Amino acid sequence: MSLPILTAICALGCFLICGIPSGLIIARASSEHVDVRKVGSGNIGMTNVARSAGASAAALTLLCDAGKGAVAILLARLVIAQVAFGGDWSQTLPQAQGGLASATLYASCVLGHIFSPYLHFKGGKGISVGLGAGLGFCWPVALSMLAVFVVLAIPTGFVSLGSVFAALSLVPLALLFGVRGLALVPLAVISLTVVWAHRENVRKLLRGEERRFSIHKKGDKLERGATDADAEKSAAEAAANDGKDA
């Protein structure tokens, strides 16, 4: 089997595994029994789970999202190493001959989470799964991105700020650690897609409206999802305009 075909098959497997909506499942099974798509930001990621289902659910979501990314890419790299390189794992390192294949697997993990095939291609924002898959792709790059995230998110309380700059640091850090050539293309796709997934957060940051990280406590009132709130606001505005016209 040729390397491109094998990579495509393994990438599909990564996409399907990482598309599993861990946050949605965990929040529903939590004591709050909440559908995170209908509260807060409407996102299925760890941050919205923390705000709607509490610390335990958020920690489990982080573990599961990062875990599925790490397991998916490591298993896929193992298959490629065995089938395409006679069991030589080193050939799947990002700096080696199979670097493009490994970078493609990494991108598939993140894209699977953001565009979950189980939720009509809507999902999370790729940060937790990106950490896990990144560790399986090139751990020095992943840990450096985590450092960027921590330096920005912890002091400010804005998870989105750390996430966006961590994503933007991916390609420069990959270059720093020896990744070259076409292997950088899937990494650029990851970076741009994660920033795109945070586009509303970026707008709110620029307007000074972004919420800081918070953890839901039992008894706290849940916020309605942004989509529902926007829809109700639009309906109210339309009704007001109809009244004026009348």
Side-chain angles (χ1 to χ4, degrees):
M1 185 181 295
S2 69
L3 181 58
I5 293 176
L6 181 61
T7 300
I9 293 172
C10 290
L12 177 61
C14 288
F15 185 87
L16 294 175
I17 292 173
C18 292
I20 298 172
S22 309
L24 176 62
I25 296 168
I26 291 167
R28 278 180 169 174
S30 72
S31 59
E32 297 294 334
H33 303 295
V34 63
D35 185 337
V36 289
R37 296 172 298 178
K38 297 180 180 179
V39 295
S41 67
N43 192 264
I44 66 168
M46 184 273 292
T47 301
N48 199 41
V49 172
R51 288 173 177 159
S52 58
S56 297
L60 187 56
T61 298
L62 173 61
L63 180 63
C64 289
D65 281 346
K68 71 186 179 185
V71 168
I73 194 170
L74 289 173
L75 284 176
R77 282 182 61 189
L78 180 62
V79 170
I80 289 176
Q82 291 293 330
V83 176
F85 297 110
D88 187 355
W89 173 264
S90 66
Q91 290 301 315
T92 67
L93 291 172
Q95 302 87 353
Q97 182 180 348
L100 174 58
S102 293
T104 301
L105 299 176
Y106 184 15
S108 297
C109 289
V110 176
L111 294 177
H113 182 74
I114 296 175
F115 304 106
S116 172
Y118 313 108
L119 299 176
H120 306 290
F121 297 99
K122 296 179 181 179
K125 295 182 180 178
I127 299 303
S128 298
V129 75
L131 172 62
L135 290 171
F137 170 68
C138 182
W139 65 265
V141 170
L143 291 182
S144 298
M145 290 171 64
L146 178 60
V148 171
F149 173 85
V150 168
V151 165
L152 291 171
I154 298 298
T156 65
F158 294 127
V159 172
S160 55
L161 181 66
S163 300
V164 167
F165 277 92
L168 291 173
S169 71
L170 174 54
V171 172
L173 287 170
L175 282 167
L176 179 64
F177 286 101
V179 182
R180 297 288 186 272
L182 290 177
L184 294 170
V185 175
L187 304 186
V189 170
I190 294 172
S191 181
L192 293 174
T193 305
V194 170
V195 172
W196 173 84
H198 285 84
R199 61 196 182 282
E200 185 57 33
N201 302 92
V202 173
R203 293 190 191 104
K204 289 181 178 179
L205 282 167
L206 293 174
R207 295 196 301 257
E209 299 172 356
E210 180 71 330
R211 288 184 59 192
R212 287 181 167 81
F213 181 76
S214 61
I215 296 177
H216 175 79
K217 296 180 177 60
K218 195 170 184 63
D220 289 350
K221 184 178 179 181
L222 293 174
E223 294 184 10
R224 289 171 301 168
T227 301
D228 293 339
D230 291 344
E232 185 171 310
K233 181 179 178 182
S234 297
E237 290 176 349
N241 289 332
D242 288 343
K244 290 177 181 178
D245 293 340

